[in-house]
Amino acid sequence: MRFNSLISASALLMAALAVTSGAAAGASSSHPTIDQDREVLFQVSTIDALLLAVYDGVLSVGVLKEKGDFGIGTFDKLEGEMILLDGICYQVKEDGFAYVVSDDLTTPFASVTFFDHDETVLIEEAANLTELVGILEASLPSKNVFYAIRIDGTFPYVRTRSVPAQERPYPLLVDVTANQTVFEFENASGTIVGFWTPQFAAGINVPGSHLHFITDDRKAGGHILDLRVDGVEVALDVTASILMALPAEGDFFDLDLTGDLSGYLEKVEK
Amino acid sequence: MRFNSLISASALLMAALAVTSGAAAGASSSHPTIDQDREVLFQVSTIDALLLAVYDGVLSVGVLKEKGDFGIGTFDKLEGEMILLDGICYQVKEDGFAYVVSDDLTTPFASVTFFDHDETVLIEEAANLTELVGILEASLPSKNVFYAIRIDGTFPYVRTRSVPAQERPYPLLVDVTANQTVFEFENASGTIVGFWTPQFAAGINVPGSHLHFITDDRKAGGHILDLRVDGVEVALDVTASILMALPAEGDFFDLDLTGDLSGYLEKVEK
């Protein structure tokens, strides 16, 4: 387990403008970077609502694509895994294949941003997902902001999953994933798409790393359960602002979201 | 302890458009209400960072006022209590008096929005802050979204506090408030300004109600520690989206924000 961190000081400084530009110098007329949609992580609903079976789509892919060109999520009725990459939205269905989706399809939970490559972390080797995430976290400049993660490469091994559309009464996510379909890729060229979320946003999104995968031909992929990497460059987009849009009707409205669902979350991520 | 809830169905429906407009009908070209700044709660930093003594201002009042005309917070070096009301930003200093602040002054923590009156809750009587909040919470249509709270009236009793500017090395907020200055108002005409935050946003903002007060002549006020009300109308702005802008440099960056600070928070609110 070895790594080199190639953090670009200038890129980091640019990212650090988020809420400090102007303010520090007392120049109130200059706008902070947060006014620019590109530097905002846009999120629909919360991970805990998804864990508690709020699966009805509330925002269309068309609107989502106005908020970012890069991201992950799921679709109406929990049908499959979302990968938004280079502005194209893919749905990895129960069969493991990726389909380009229409702008009319809706999502109950997704995170997107406009990906701007701020930093690079070189990972020479990681035997599994836990090791990859460990190396990555050790090289993050701060554990208190969000990062979009993009890894292009050829991966010795990737294991993914997807889930079928659900019907009412919706089962809990932990029960759906108990019957997930699992796919394995060997020496697969493709792209890993996801986010790193600070611990203080637990309940809102997945603390730590949440990664999806899609092959180079954009024909297959899914939610990453495990992987092995060998000499990859991790591209990070430092994102210090988050815009969370909550469903203001439907199942979400009456849900009891006061509990600690981290136990459920750990199960569904595996 | 009696109350009547005057929730306007049409107002609520408008608020519920947050992430459902267009999407439900599959009309991807229509924008959800979240595109409108008015329906977004804009927040600088997190309450846990403030509890852990991140007091340096990172965003100017000038920029903050572009994000809302209504809100609360504090100022650079934790100097006093912020009340943003009808677009004017006041600083209640250690002496209990309210001063209109310049746009150059910065804030380390604040929450603002453009106040649009969506709902009204009538409260006939509440003997203290706990009772007021209990009545209010019982009449919220959902405990999973944010509400801006405005109460104009004459209050039999209000107890507030403020704190002086701090110097490095900054003490924890719980130690600062142990020496807070307390003010009492009797039969005071004025406005209560604040927010109700869902439990799942603990760590990010103050779960439940967080209220500040300013008198009608806008000359005095502070962070509300307790109060008694008698026949007030609570005006609520239902806010389903939140834009959280994190400091991307300074003390915030290296802070350990993984702990549960709810014990600290309870002390500083009193």
Side-chain angles (χ1 to χ4, degrees):
Chain A
M1 183 161 74
R2 295 161 292 168
F3 74 100
N4 293 301
S5 180
L6 284 190
I7 292 172
S8 148
S10 64
L12 186 55
L13 197 62
M14 289 300 289
L17 290 174
V19 291
T20 55
S21 118
S28 63
S29 62
S30 73
H31 289 227
T33 310
I34 40 170
D35 281 337
Q36 299 164 19
D37 283 346
R38 296 194 69 86
E39 292 304 324
V40 175
L41 172 58
F42 176 82
Q43 174 181 324
V44 179
S45 191
T46 72
I47 188 67
D48 278 8
L50 197 74
L51 287 166
L52 295 176
V54 180
Y55 301 150
D56 288 340
V58 290
L59 192 93
S60 73
V61 166
V63 173
L64 198 66
K65 284 155 69 176
E66 293 171 9
K67 303 297 184 182
D69 55 11
F70 177 96
I72 57 178
T74 185
F75 297 94
D76 188 39
K77 299 182 172 51
L78 197 73
E79 188 179 8
E81 307 284 347
M82 177 193 293
I83 295 114
L84 175 60
L85 184 58
D86 298 328
I88 301 171
C89 188
Y90 304 91
Q91 179 181 28
V92 175
K93 291 193 179 180
E94 193 187 0
D95 59 10
F97 290 109
Y99 303 85
V100 174
V101 303
S102 107
D103 283 354
D104 293 342
L105 199 57
T106 58
T107 175
F109 178 73
S111 300
V112 305
T113 191
F114 291 97
F115 194 90
D116 296 309
H117 186 161
D118 295 323
E119 299 183 24
T120 303
V121 176
L122 293 184
I123 297 185
E124 294 192 14
E125 202 181 345
N128 53 47
L129 182 57
T130 306
E131 206 168 292
L132 174 76
V133 172
I135 296 169
L136 186 61
E137 289 190 353
S139 58
L140 295 177
S142 169
K143 291 190 177 178
N144 297 332
V145 295
F146 299 82
Y147 300 88
I149 300 167
R150 176 176 180 153
I151 314 175
D152 294 286
T154 300
F155 306 93
Y157 179 72
V158 185
R159 187 162 80 244
T160 67
R161 71 106 187 278
S162 187
V163 289
Q166 303 297 305
E167 287 180 14
R168 285 182 177 272
Y170 289 141
L172 295 179
L173 187 56
V174 69
D175 294 322
V176 175
T177 57
N179 299 305
Q180 64 197 356
T181 320
V182 173
F183 316 102
E184 294 188 305
F185 301 84
E186 295 192 354
N187 297 312
S189 291
T191 301
I192 292 171
V193 172
F195 294 93
W196 189 91
T197 295
Q199 183 62 38
F200 64 74
I204 287 174
N205 212 314
V206 180
S209 293
H210 182 187
L211 307 172
H212 287 190
F213 175 68
I214 189 163
T215 54
D216 258 357
D217 62 9
R218 309 296 188 237
K219 295 295 187 200
H223 169 103
I224 296 179
L225 297 173
D226 202 4
L227 85 176
R228 195 164 66 245
V229 305
D230 200 5
V232 293
E233 282 191 11
V234 181
L236 297 177
D237 178 7
V238 184
T239 308
S241 295
I242 178 171
L243 173 51
M244 179 169 62
L246 300 171
E249 65 178 23
D251 295 341
F252 183 87
F253 229 47
D254 294 319
L255 209 59
D256 179 0
L257 286 171
T258 59
D260 176 1
L261 303 179
S262 55
Y264 276 1
L265 185 60
E266 201 179 342
K267 282 186 189 168
V268 307
E269 291 292 303
K270 286 180 179 170
Chain B
M1 183 161 71
R2 294 160 292 167
F3 75 100
N4 292 302
S5 180
L6 285 190
I7 292 171
S8 149
S10 65
L12 187 53
L13 197 62
M14 289 299 290
L17 290 174
V19 290
T20 55
S21 120
S28 63
S29 63
S30 75
H31 289 226
T33 310
I34 41 170
D35 281 337
Q36 299 164 18
D37 283 346
R38 297 194 69 84
E39 292 303 324
V40 175
L41 172 57
F42 176 81
Q43 175 182 322
V44 178
S45 192
T46 71
I47 188 67
D48 277 10
L50 196 75
L51 287 166
L52 294 176
V54 180
Y55 300 150
D56 287 341
V58 291
L59 192 92
S60 73
V61 166
V63 173
L64 197 67
K65 282 157 68 177
E66 294 171 9
K67 304 298 185 181
D69 56 11
F70 178 96
I72 58 177
T74 185
F75 297 94
D76 187 39
K77 299 181 171 52
L78 198 73
E79 189 178 7
E81 308 284 345
M82 178 192 293
I83 295 115
L84 175 59
L85 183 57
D86 299 327
I88 301 170
C89 189
Y90 304 91
Q91 179 181 28
V92 174
K93 292 193 179 181
E94 193 187 2
D95 59 9
F97 289 108
Y99 302 86
V100 174
V101 302
S102 107
D103 283 354
D104 294 341
L105 199 56
T106 58
T107 175
F109 179 72
S111 300
V112 306
T113 191
F114 291 98
F115 194 89
D116 296 308
H117 186 162
D118 295 322
E119 300 182 24
T120 303
V121 177
L122 292 184
I123 297 183
E124 295 192 13
E125 202 182 344
N128 53 48
L129 182 58
T130 306
E131 206 168 291
L132 174 76
V133 173
I135 297 170
L136 186 61
E137 290 191 354
S139 58
L140 295 177
S142 170
K143 291 190 177 177
N144 297 332
V145 294
F146 300 81
Y147 300 88
I149 299 168
R150 176 176 180 152
I151 314 175
D152 294 286
T154 300
F155 305 94
Y157 178 74
V158 186
R159 187 163 79 244
T160 68
R161 72 108 187 277
S162 187
V163 290
Q166 302 297 305
E167 286 181 13
R168 286 183 176 271
Y170 289 141
L172 295 179
L173 186 56
V174 69
D175 294 323
V176 175
T177 56
N179 299 307
Q180 64 198 356
T181 320
V182 173
F183 317 103
E184 294 188 304
F185 301 84
E186 295 191 354
N187 297 313
S189 292
T191 300
I192 292 170
V193 172
F195 294 92
W196 189 91
T197 296
Q199 183 62 40
F200 64 75
I204 287 173
N205 212 313
V206 180
S209 294
H210 183 188
L211 306 172
H212 288 190
F213 175 68
I214 190 162
T215 54
D216 259 357
D217 62 8
R218 309 296 187 237
K219 295 294 188 199
H223 169 103
I224 296 180
L225 298 173
D226 201 4
L227 84 177
R228 195 163 67 245
V229 303
D230 200 4
V232 292
E233 282 190 12
V234 181
L236 298 177
D237 178 6
V238 184
T239 308
S241 296
I242 177 171
L243 173 51
M244 179 170 61
L246 300 171
E249 64 177 25
D251 294 341
F252 183 87
F253 229 45
D254 294 319
L255 208 59
D256 179 359
L257 286 171
T258 60
D260 177 2
L261 303 179
S262 54
Y264 276 0
L265 184 59
E266 200 179 342
K267 282 186 189 168
V268 307
E269 292 293 302
K270 285 179 180 170

